Amino acid sequence: MNLEEMLKKEKEKIESKIKIGSEILYLTKDQCIEAGPDVEQTLEIIERTLDAHGRKEYEMPAKIGIHPYDDVFYHAMPAYVPGQMACGEKWIECYPRNPKEYGLPQTSGLMILNEILTGFPMVIMDGAWLTAMRTPAVTSIAAAALHPDAETFGMFGCGVQGIGHVRYIVHKLMNLKKIYVYDVRRESMERLIEQVKDEVDGVELIMAASPQEVAENCDVMSSATIITRENMAVVKKEWVHAGQTILPCDLNTFWEADIQRNADKYIVDSREEHVLFDGMGYFPDGLPEIYAETGEIVAGIKEGRERKDELIVCSNIGMSVCDVAMAKHIFDAALERDLGTVLKL
């Protein structure tokens, strides 16, 4: 069956529930969670998507954005992944001030998926939950591809993403013995450990006293903190050593710029998006030379770690191919379970 035939069959399935062109399905966050994939399913979806990205089987312009405040961004993130019949866009915002000032999450967003044969929108859903699910999946898959024998993992930032990263990483790094976590707020570290302790059986969870303790003791590290144009350089280059794998989710923010610039391999999820952010001033010391994209490593097109003493940095800032793939899984499951509200267009 070719793609056109698959799309026609897909359209028939959708129209058994909603009338394309005159109706649209609306899914709340709770309904997305009910229909959504679990950790293992998410890892499967994202690994398949990264493989497709590495093989250039997608269409995804670099995310564009607006910035009403210096510490705030809105991103428009469209993508098309033919192999998963997923086509749509995420509109997402990040307000770091929200939790403290308004008692609201810092990230919110909406997903829209379109029916590919006609182009009409077919579903609107919450976009924050699937973002929280796919982001740690990318980190964990990249970690397994670059450092499968790691025994120690360090997580900087113990919010929603920190919790997700610790929850996911044990599914992909099978030799882990210790996980170090660090956050400027002790209560955040305590909350993370309380939420994940039953899911990391046999792995010791350690609240680090400082960023230096994490950096000096971990084979693999990730950071999910705030994103700023100015490099905060919390982790210093003298704390990092040969043979480590570093997987930031926060651009150039958290790590001293020389760490990325002097890495043996600098890998990114999307070249185009990193070049775009460089042009916007997020790499004031210059964008390091890019060796490969994460998907190219996952697909086996480019070599990952070739020597034990390589220092590898793999920057994953989030790609909409992953978002639309996750959203398509949620939409399909919601149709099967009769979830959501049908609205008139």
Side-chain angles (χ1 to χ4, degrees):
M1 187 182 298
N2 61 34
L3 180 60
E4 191 76 7
E5 291 171 334
M6 291 171 63
L7 289 173
K8 289 179 180 178
K9 186 175 181 180
E10 179 80 0
K11 184 174 182 290
E12 291 176 3
K13 181 186 74 174
I14 294 166
E15 289 193 313
S16 68
K17 302 288 185 177
I18 59 173
K19 296 176 183 177
I20 294 172
S22 61
E23 295 178 336
I24 192 167
L25 188 68
Y26 173 72
L27 295 172
T28 66
K29 178 180 179 180
D30 286 343
Q31 289 168 335
C32 288
I33 294 172
E34 183 178 350
D38 60 20
V39 170
E40 289 287 0
Q41 290 172 320
T42 299
L43 287 166
E44 291 173 6
I45 293 166
I46 299 305
E47 188 151 9
R48 180 182 173 193
T49 305
L50 289 173
D51 183 89
H53 186 269
R55 299 179 188 280
K56 312 305 179 189
E57 297 168 356
Y58 71 96
E59 183 177 358
M60 184 189 75
K63 64 181 79 172
I64 58 172
I66 56 175
H67 307 83
Y69 302 96
D70 286 343
D71 62 338
V72 162
F73 65 78
Y74 292 63
H75 284 158
M77 302 173 62
Y80 172 44
V81 186
Q84 299 189 52
M85 293 185 288
C87 175
E89 179 175 10
K90 183 171 74 173
W91 177 241
I92 193 164
E93 313 81 46
C94 183
Y95 274 69
R97 65 188 70 178
N98 273 358
K100 183 177 181 180
E101 295 185 13
Y102 300 105
L104 293 170
Q106 74 170 11
T107 301
S108 62
L110 288 174
M111 283 289 317
I112 298 175
L113 289 183
N114 297 74
E115 195 278 313
I116 297 169
L117 283 176
T118 66
F120 272 88
M122 57 187 184
V123 62
I124 299 173
M125 69 177 74
D126 167 74
W129 180 78
L130 64 82
T131 301
M133 289 290 282
R134 62 84 158 142
T135 304
V138 172
T139 297
S140 301
I141 292 163
L146 295 167
H147 212 132
D149 59 347
E151 295 185 352
T152 49
F153 174 73
M155 186 69 220
F156 295 104
C158 295
V160 171
Q161 284 298 337
I163 293 168
H165 275 69
V166 174
R167 179 171 283 143
Y168 275 68
I169 200 71
V170 294
H171 289 261
K172 298 301 289 185
L173 296 182
M174 308 311 295
N175 295 332
L176 280 183
K177 296 178 179 177
K178 295 180 180 181
I179 294 176
Y180 291 76
V181 299
Y182 177 79
D183 196 286
V184 293
R185 295 175 294 274
R186 182 178 177 86
E187 62 269 22
S188 295
M189 292 190 282
E190 292 172 343
R191 182 177 63 248
L192 182 152
I193 289 175
E194 179 62 28
Q195 289 194 23
V196 305
K197 63 183 181 181
D198 294 335
E199 300 177 50
V200 296
D201 187 43
V203 180
E204 183 181 1
L205 292 167
I206 300 167
M207 285 193 294
S210 68
Q212 184 174 356
E213 181 183 356
V214 179
E216 291 181 343
N217 285 282
C218 291
D219 299 325
V220 177
M221 295 178 282
S222 185
S223 56
T225 62
I226 62 172
I227 296 176
T228 61
R229 285 186 175 87
E230 182 180 352
N231 179 254
M232 297 191 300
V234 175
V235 178
K236 310 300 181 185
K237 62 181 179 181
E238 59 264 27
W239 302 343
V240 172
H241 56 265
Q244 289 179 303
T245 300
I246 299 170
L247 299 129
C249 300
D250 39 26
L251 276 175
N252 196 47
T253 298
F254 197 74
W255 309 79
E256 190 171 358
D258 279 350
I259 296 172
Q260 301 182 77
R261 194 161 42 242
N262 296 334
D264 295 291
K265 288 189 173 90
Y266 184 66
I267 300 164
V268 300
D269 52 358
S270 167
R271 289 176 185 270
E272 290 83 0
E273 291 189 357
H274 279 73
V275 169
L276 176 67
F277 276 92
D278 181 33
M280 294 167 63
Y282 283 91
F283 291 87
D285 298 302
L287 180 66
E289 182 180 351
I290 296 171
Y291 163 74
E293 290 182 315
T294 306
E296 292 176 314
I297 303 297
V298 172
I301 293 168
K302 290 282 188 75
E303 292 289 338
R305 179 173 295 280
E306 296 176 272
R307 304 188 319 272
K308 285 188 174 295
D309 65 349
E310 282 184 308
L311 174 62
I312 297 177
V313 176
C314 179
S315 173
N316 298 296
I317 58 175
M319 299 191 297
S320 53
V321 288
C322 297
D323 297 316
V324 298
M326 286 285 287
K328 184 58 165 53
H329 179 100
I330 292 168
F331 175 62
D332 288 344
L335 289 181
E336 291 178 5
R337 301 182 192 188
D338 289 321
L339 297 174
T341 302
V342 177
L343 303 175
K344 292 290 184 182
L345 277 175

